[in-house]
Amino acid sequence: MRINPIRTAVAAAVVTTAALGTMVASGAAAGATGVTGTTGSAGAVGAAGSGARVAAAPGFLDAGELPPHSSSPWFAGTVTKGLPDPEPFCLEGAVPAGGGTYHRFFGTDYDTHAAQVSVVASSVTAAKALATSLEKKVAACAADWLRETPGGSASWDDYGTVAAGDSAHVYGVHTSIPESEPGVNLFAVGRDGKTVTVVRWAEMGHLDQAPLAAFKKTTATAVNKLN
């Protein structure tokens, strides 16, 4: 599916990607409501509070480190402090918004897009708790989405761990509503020391069409660049 081309400015790619994020995740505009499940109890643990020190930004993926698109280059936005708007599908309310949180949007000339959100926690213990909370949130996403989307269908898969940093785990989530294109998402939750990152890749399609091997490589790169 073609969207408005992104030809001259990365900023345009960022705007398009942000606006499209949750819509593509569900396969329709109705999916823009995303998941409204409660935040995991560990979700806000260990983030630098709003009045605390501002942590240095961790390393982020570059555009060329995402799974290659067959018909378009990737465009990368700037690394920006705070939560993205919209927050990543499946993780609304789960990532702390303190001074240690940063994000970056990525887009293509088509519907394929991605986002990375990283959090520098207050300690390794806090980072472990946050990573565990985020993994649980992604694993519960399909069921949460179904409860909020009458008539929809959803599935998910646990694609296991990736050898990178202190931990890295990959998941897939598929959502669909009648008379609309299905949406497929790949998620990575990783940690190195006291820094946690989440990478989300999304486009219209099904889980068996997702570039899993390439995304696992992207996951390893993302986690290894954190510190």
Side-chain angles (χ1 to χ4, degrees):
M1 176 181 175
R2 185 87 183 215
I3 60 174
N4 292 333
I6 307 168
R7 293 191 177 94
T8 58
V10 167
V14 174
V15 172
T16 302
T17 299
L20 192 60
T22 39
M23 182 187 74
V24 172
S26 66
T33 54
V35 177
T36 56
T38 56
T39 304
S41 59
V45 175
S50 59
R53 61 174 178 77
V54 176
F60 270 74
L61 289 167
D62 295 320
E65 293 167 332
L66 289 160
H69 191 281
S70 61
S71 304
S72 172
W74 281 94
F75 305 89
T78 58
V79 175
T80 304
K81 189 170 70 173
L83 288 173
D85 182 16
E87 294 180 54
F89 176 65
C90 291
L91 293 171
E92 296 91 335
V95 182
T101 299
Y102 296 82
H103 70 272
R104 189 176 208 178
F105 283 118
F106 304 88
T108 67
D109 285 334
Y110 293 81
D111 70 286
T112 309
H113 61 282
Q116 182 179 6
V117 184
S118 296
V119 179
V120 181
S122 59
S123 67
V124 170
T125 299
K128 288 180 179 179
L130 176 58
T132 298
S133 175
L134 295 178
E135 288 189 31
K136 289 179 179 178
K137 185 76 170 175
V138 173
C141 178
D144 287 344
W145 185 86
L146 281 174
R147 283 190 289 270
E148 299 293 331
T149 313
S153 62
S155 61
W156 73 287
D157 209 336
D158 182 339
Y159 293 122
T161 60
V162 174
D166 292 312
S167 67
H169 207 136
V170 174
Y171 302 85
V173 177
H174 171 265
T175 57
S176 180
I177 60 175
E179 300 180 4
S180 183
E181 294 291 334
V184 58
N185 300 265
L186 293 176
F187 292 91
V189 179
R191 180 183 67 84
D192 190 20
K194 63 179 185 177
T195 305
V196 177
T197 194
V198 178
V199 181
R200 177 202 173 210
W201 171 97
E203 69 176 18
M204 293 183 181
H206 302 273
L207 285 176
D208 59 3
Q209 300 169 325
L212 180 59
F215 186 75
K216 285 188 172 183
K217 183 177 180 180
T218 294
T219 298
T221 301
V223 176
N224 288 331
K225 292 182 74 171
L226 289 176
N227 294 306

